[in-house]
Amino acid sequence: MPDAVVDPGAHNRAAWDKLVQDGNEWSRPVSAEDVERARSGDWSIVLIGHEPVDRSWLPADLTGKDVLCLASGGGQQGPILAAAGARVTVFDNSPGQLGQDQMVAARDGLELRTVLGDMSDLSAFGEAAFDVVVHPVSNCFVPDVAPVWRECFRVLRPGGTLLAGFLNPDAYLFDDEALDERGELVVVHKLPYSDVTHYSAEERAAKFGADAALEYGHTLTDQIGGQLAAGFVLTGFAEAPHHSNASADYMSHYFATMAVKPLD
């Protein structure tokens, strides 16, 4: 039976702080060379897997643009966008992840603000505070994505853009052990998936480790329909395979959307 009481925000904050210590790939900061190239106009960021974002999804000139990197700590997207001229705020639930951005900013002389908090609650910011929100794959760590989309809409200026990456919910169909250890796609889970509803705390600890982050699979109605319900107009879509596991031969593991807050 699943456990009834769990605080996903507190649990995942501790989990990601540990992942930073362990050198998780999404916690490894960009290099000083990457930052220097970005200063000269040669840069890219990722939303899904290792695929660079289509540069047409971002303003041609980022100089002076207010950009919110949402649930995007780790010293990756934020420093690059700051070096490219944007006024960047990195918002993340993990102090360790934010520390990576702070380290890069100090190392390379970047102006970059970091704010600690839950992606579902952006009350730290006023309405219409940003021109762009960059939200790489991370909403799998919150149980409900609707508040995320509503808050993104609120903090964007009219005409502003949301770039979001998220998991294909079908990725949660498969048994992790069979996929990771034998490269087999073995269907074991009914969708929509949640670590909390599909496993008890004891089962999660045995399968993933007691310190593993809690994940929640969200339907495309929640992901894409949720953006539309919040008021966005979708103007771009992309997909990518997983960058390292066997599912890449069969399906797109990641999706990305570009959405605009209407001027009216």
Side-chain angles (χ1 to χ4, degrees):
M1 292 290 294
D3 50 321
V5 180
V6 64
D7 182 341
H11 181 97
N12 284 344
R13 177 174 293 180
W16 271 98
D17 282 349
K18 185 176 186 302
L19 286 170
V20 173
Q21 295 173 6
D22 293 344
N24 180 272
E25 68 173 312
W26 305 118
S27 301
R28 298 172 194 158
V30 295
S31 69
E33 291 75 19
D34 292 330
V35 170
E36 192 57 36
R37 284 195 296 272
R39 283 189 166 115
S40 65
D42 177 16
W43 60 270
S44 67
I45 60 170
V46 298
L47 283 176
I48 51 176
H50 293 169
E51 297 289 328
V53 175
D54 185 333
R55 282 286 293 270
S56 70
W57 284 22
L58 286 151
D61 184 3
L62 284 171
T63 304
K65 298 292 186 182
D66 291 302
V67 176
L68 174 63
C69 290
L70 179 60
S72 177
Q76 298 182 358
Q77 293 89 356
I80 292 297
L81 294 169
R87 290 193 294 260
V88 173
T89 299
V90 182
F91 186 90
D92 201 278
N93 185 43
S94 161
Q97 283 283 81
L98 292 176
Q100 302 294 73
D101 292 275
Q102 294 160 359
M103 182 277 290
V104 176
R107 182 192 69 194
D108 299 328
L110 297 171
E111 291 189 16
L112 182 150
R113 179 169 63 143
T114 61
V115 180
L116 180 69
D118 186 316
M119 69 182 85
S120 303
D121 178 6
L122 302 183
S123 57
F125 311 116
E127 294 187 11
F130 298 99
D131 300 295
V132 180
V133 173
V134 174
H135 180 43
V137 178
S138 56
N139 68 28
C140 53
F141 300 112
V142 293
D144 184 7
V145 296
V148 178
W149 303 135
R150 291 195 296 266
E151 283 289 83
C152 286
F153 191 86
R154 183 184 66 80
V155 302
L156 274 170
R157 294 173 180 136
T161 304
L162 165 66
L163 308 185
F166 48 90
L167 286 170
N168 180 345
D170 291 351
Y172 287 105
L173 285 168
F174 308 111
D175 179 74
D176 293 270
E177 183 178 349
L179 187 60
D180 294 340
E181 296 184 8
R182 302 189 299 277
E184 298 175 358
L185 276 66
V186 179
V187 174
V188 294
H189 296 135
K190 182 178 180 179
L191 302 181
Y193 172 85
S194 162
D195 282 344
V196 175
T197 59
H198 284 56
Y199 297 106
S200 69
E202 293 75 16
E203 290 168 336
R204 289 197 306 271
K207 191 170 183 65
F208 307 117
D211 297 325
L214 298 172
E215 293 194 30
Y216 303 82
H218 303 297
T219 67
L220 293 181
T221 298
D222 291 336
Q223 297 283 21
I224 296 176
Q227 293 182 52
L228 296 173
F232 285 106
V233 176
L234 266 65
T235 58
F237 183 84
E239 53 190 309
H242 195 281
H243 48 284
S244 62
N245 77 33
S247 69
D249 293 332
Y250 303 95
M251 62 185 287
S252 295
H253 195 90
Y254 302 105
F255 298 138
T257 53
M258 175 184 180
V260 175
K261 181 174 180 175
L263 291 171
D264 294 333

